[in-house]
Amino acid sequence: YERWQPRARYRQSLDPTVEEVRRLATGLRRSAREERVLFHYNGHGVPRPTANGEIWVFNRSYTQYIPLSIYDLQSWMGSPSIYVYDCNNAGIIVDSFKNFAEQHEREYVEQVRAGGPQAGAAELPPPPSLRNCIQ
């Protein structure tokens, strides 16, 4: 990636825990602001993604694998983002990603409606568009 975009900033996290992925993703989103964030998952050597839309990371003591929901990853990464799933059965992740993106959008609309319109706003602001993320 550095060869393709030498001016971009890259952070590598080998064998991360759920908490390390969360910190890294939220930190990248905060510093990228409205720019795209790249998330490359190398899942070779770990269990295959689950039918529930989970990938695998380590626990704190690095003794077992812990599932990480794509739903949570979407929440942390925000949009716009690029996701690369370098693992067996990556299609499961892509399908789950789309379903979770729709769920995020429904929850956003419900949350905004429950809170009422913004002061002076005639319409609801558009929800974050996770469906437009590149996979």
Side-chain angles (χ1 to χ4, degrees):
Y1 294 114
E2 291 175 349
R3 208 177 295 167
W4 294 334
Q5 185 56 270
R7 291 186 298 175
R9 294 188 338 209
Y10 299 91
R11 293 189 192 147
Q12 187 176 26
S13 183
L14 302 175
D15 299 330
T17 64
V18 172
E19 182 59 27
E20 289 168 346
V21 173
R22 185 193 63 75
R23 275 196 316 261
L24 181 63
T26 55
L28 288 171
R29 170 50 52 211
R30 189 172 33 257
S31 63
R33 296 185 183 138
E34 299 301 318
E35 297 293 323
R36 288 199 188 278
V37 174
L38 170 67
F39 178 84
H40 185 125
Y41 174 72
N42 184 340
H44 296 286
V46 301
R48 293 180 179 185
T50 70
N52 295 329
E54 298 163 321
I55 56 177
W56 297 94
V57 296
F58 278 102
N59 65 354
R60 287 185 185 165
S61 58
Y62 300 99
T63 57
Q64 67 185 60
Y65 297 114
I66 303 293
L68 169 62
S69 173
I70 296 300
Y71 179 89
D72 292 336
L73 184 61
Q74 285 176 333
S75 299
W76 304 332
M77 291 285 292
S79 178
S81 295
I82 299 172
Y83 295 82
V84 177
Y85 310 116
D86 184 8
C87 62
N88 293 329
N89 292 8
I92 293 172
I93 303 171
V94 173
D95 292 340
S96 296
F97 187 98
K98 291 175 185 175
N99 293 334
F100 289 145
E102 292 170 2
Q103 181 179 345
H104 274 289
E105 290 177 8
R106 284 190 306 271
E107 291 170 355
Y108 175 83
V109 170
E110 290 171 11
Q111 182 180 13
V112 171
R113 285 189 178 145
Q118 303 285 333
E123 303 179 9
L124 295 175
S129 184
L130 295 167
R131 283 192 255 184
N132 292 332
C133 291
I134 299 170
Q135 301 183 67

